C-alpha cells in the first residue's frame, strides 16, 4: 500500500491556520477578522471548517471573549511557531544590492583567470561592491562539472576545449577570446616556424593533461615539438623562460601581464591555431542567484572595457620587443 505523506496536512486547508492563530491571539472573532482582512461571517465559516476538520470546538464564547479549549491551547504554540517560520522562509528574496551585499561567492579559477581578471575585478569592486567576498578555488578540471553540480562553486572560469560537450544543467557564457603568442628570453631576436620546432618548450598543464591544444594542432600540421618541462602552475613559468632558452605559448593578455615581471619578449605564434577561449560556467540552479548574475555581468563588462582594449593596444606595440 502506498505511503501517503503528511496525512494530517492533506485533510486540512492550511489557509485555516492563520485564522486559528489570529483568534487565539486576539480572543475575538472581530479583531481576528480585521487583522486578516476578512468579514466576520467569512472568518466564522472558516472557524467552523477548522472545528470540523480537527473534531474539536477549539474556542468557547465567554462574554465578549473567545476562550480556547484545552486542545487549542496545546496546538497554539506549534501553529504560531510554524506560521512564523514559513512566513520568514517564504518571504520573496530582495533584489541584489551590490553596494551593501556581504555575500560570499565560490569561484573556480586557474592561474590564468586569477592573474588576468582578479586584479582588475577587485579594483572595480572596491567601490561598487566593497562587502562582496570571494573564495577562489583551483579547478581540478574544466569546466568543473562535478563542483558546479554539487553546488561547491557558484561560477567557474574555465577554458573551452574542442571535445567539450555541453551538460544540460550547466549554463555557459562565452566570456572572451584571445590569440596565442610565444614568450621567450630577451636575447632571442626572431621566431620562425623552424626556430619554434627546434626549440625546447615549457608547457603549463593546470590539470596535468597529457596533450595540449597546441600539440594537437601541430600533429594536424605534421609537426611535433620538444617539451622540456610541464608545470601545473603559471606562477614560476615566466621566470624559468627568462633564465633559459625555453619557449612558452600563452594567451596574449597573460603574456602582456607577465612581461612586467620578467625580462621577456613576445613573438607571434608561427603557425595558425584557433583562438583561446574562456567561458563562465554556472549551474542553472546557482546561476539564478542575484549575486551570481550580477558578477557574471560585471565580469563581461570588465572584459569589454579592459581586456579587449588592452590586448588590441598592446599587440602591435610590444610584438618582438623587450619589455
Amino acid at each position: 500500500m502506498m505511503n501517503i505523506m503528511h496525512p494530517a496536512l492533506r485533510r486540512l486547508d492550511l489557509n485555516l491556520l492563520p485564522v486559528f492563530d489570529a483568534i487565539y491571539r486576539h480572543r475575538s472573532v472581530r479583531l481576528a477578522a480585521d487583522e486578516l482582512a476578512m468579514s466576520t461571517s467569512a472568518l466564522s465559516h472558516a472557524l467552523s471548517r477548522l472545528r470540523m476538520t480537527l473534531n474539536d470546538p477549539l474556542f468557547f464564547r465567554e462574554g465578549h471573549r473567545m476562550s480556547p479549549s484545552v486542545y487549542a491551547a496545546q496546538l497554539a504554540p506549534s501553529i504560531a511557531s510554524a506560521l512564523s517560520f514559513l512566513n520568514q522562509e517564504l518571504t520573496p528574496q530582495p533584489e541584489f544590492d551590490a553596494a551593501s551585499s556581504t555575500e560570499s561567492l565560490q569561484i573556480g579559477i586557474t592561474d590564468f583567470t586569477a592573474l588576468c581578471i582578479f586584479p582588475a575585478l577587485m579594483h572595480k569592486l572596491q567601490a561598487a561592491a566593497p562587502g562582496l567576498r570571494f573564495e577562489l578555488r583551483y579547478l581540478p578540471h574544466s569546466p568543473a562539472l562535478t563542483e558546479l553540480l554539487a553546488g561547491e562553486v557558484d561560477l567557474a572560469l574555465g577554458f573551452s576545449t574542442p571535445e567539450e560537450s555541453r551538460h544540460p544543467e550547466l549554463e555557459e557564457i562565452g566570456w572572451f577570446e584571445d590569440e596565442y603568442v610565444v614568450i621567450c628570453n630577451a636575447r632571442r631576436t626572431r621566431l620562425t616556424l623552424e626556430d619554434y620546432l627546434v626549440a625546447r618548450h615549457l608547457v603549463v598543464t593546470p590539470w596535468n593533461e597529457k596533450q595540449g591544444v597546441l600539440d594537437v594542432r601541430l600533429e594536424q600540421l605534421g609537426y611535433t615539438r620538444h617539451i622540456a618541462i610541464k608545470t601545473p602552475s603559471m606562477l614560476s613559468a615566466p621566470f624559468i623562460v627568462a633564465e633559459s632558452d625555453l619557449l612558452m605559448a600563452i594567451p596574449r593578455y597573460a603574456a602582456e601581464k607577465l612581461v612586467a615581471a620578467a625580462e621577456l619578449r613576445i613573438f607571434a605564434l608561427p603557425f595558425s591555431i584557433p583562438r583561446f577561449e574562456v567561458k563562465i560556467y554556472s549551474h542553472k540552479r546557482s546561476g539564478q542567484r542575484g549575486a551570481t548574475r550580477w558578477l557574471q555581468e560585471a565580469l563581461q563588462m570588465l572584459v569589454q572595457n579592459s581586456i579587449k582594449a588592452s590586448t588590441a593596444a598592446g599587440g602591435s606595440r610590444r610584438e618582438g620587443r623587450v619589455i
Side-chain angles (χ1 to χ4, degrees), residues 272-293:
S272 64
I273 189 170
R275 290 170 65 84
F276 176 87
E277 184 179 12
V278 178
K279 292 183 178 180
I280 304 174
Y281 298 92
S282 64
H283 192 284
K284 290 183 177 179
R285 177 181 60 243
S286 63
Q288 297 303 314
R289 288 177 57 195
T292 306
R293 285 293 180 199

Side-chain angles (χ1 to χ4, degrees), residues 197-212:
L197 294 176
V198 299
R200 301 187 307 148
H201 296 265
L202 181 150
V203 179
V204 175
T205 54
W207 306 294
N208 297 311
E209 54 267 38
K210 297 295 183 183
Q211 190 177 43

Side-chain angles (χ1 to χ4, degrees), residues 36-269:
L36 298 174
M38 299 172 64
S39 66
T40 54
S41 60
L43 189 133
S44 295
H45 177 68
L47 177 58
S48 296
R49 291 175 57 204
L50 193 57
R51 283 167 166 163
M52 184 176 300
T53 301
L54 297 180
N55 193 29
D56 189 89
L58 299 177
F59 297 97
F60 299 92
R61 183 173 295 280
E62 294 182 347
H64 296 293
R65 289 173 56 82
M66 297 291 287
S67 297
S69 68
V70 173
Y71 183 47
Q74 292 173 348
L75 289 177
S78 297
I79 291 177
S81 176
L83 290 175
S84 176
F85 174 79
L86 288 173
N87 186 66
Q88 178 179 339
E89 293 299 311
L90 297 177
T91 299
Q93 292 294 309
E95 289 292 324
F96 176 74
D97 178 29
S100 61
S101 176
T102 58
E103 288 195 52
S104 177
L105 290 169
Q106 323 293 316
I107 312 295
I109 52 100
T110 63
D111 277 346
F112 173 79
T113 49
L115 170 69
C116 294
I117 301 305
F118 273 87
L121 178 65
M122 297 313 295
H123 175 75
K124 172 183 173 66
L125 297 191
Q126 64 187 359
L132 202 61
R133 294 171 293 129
F134 299 96
E135 290 188 24
L136 305 185
R137 301 185 179 183
Y138 278 103
L139 296 178
H141 44 75
S142 182
L145 177 64
T146 304
E147 291 73 20
L148 285 164
L149 295 179
E152 296 174 4
V153 295
D154 299 295
L155 293 177
L157 311 179
F159 310 152
S160 173
T161 59
E163 65 275 10
E164 179 183 305
S165 59
R166 298 191 62 171
H167 192 283
E169 294 184 39
L170 292 188
E171 180 180 79
E172 60 182 61
I173 299 173
W175 189 19
F176 71 90
E177 295 182 1
D178 200 358
E179 64 177 343
Y180 284 99
V181 295
V182 179
I183 59 173
C184 60
N185 65 49
R187 299 181 299 277
R188 181 176 288 274
T189 58
R190 70 171 194 174
L191 185 65
T192 65
L193 177 58
E194 183 180 358
D195 295 330
Y196 186 88
L197 294 176
V198 299
R200 301 187 307 148
H201 296 265
L202 181 150
V203 179
V204 175
T205 54
W207 306 294
N208 297 311
E209 54 267 38
K210 297 295 183 183
Q211 190 177 43
V213 292
L214 272 75
D215 295 291
V216 172
R217 178 56 179 156
L218 284 171
E219 282 189 2
Q220 292 172 347
L221 297 173
Y223 303 122
T224 59
R225 61 176 176 169
H226 176 200
I227 298 176
I229 179 172
K230 287 185 176 182
T231 174
S233 173
M234 197 167 60
L235 180 62
S236 62
F239 304 101
I240 296 173
V241 169
E243 298 296 328
S244 68
D245 62 353
L246 297 175
L247 302 182
M248 177 181 175
I250 190 172
R252 178 181 288 280
Y253 188 73
E256 296 283 347
K257 289 278 189 180
L258 294 178
V259 293
E263 195 171 342
L264 299 165
R265 278 185 174 174
I266 300 175
F267 286 93
L269 190 69

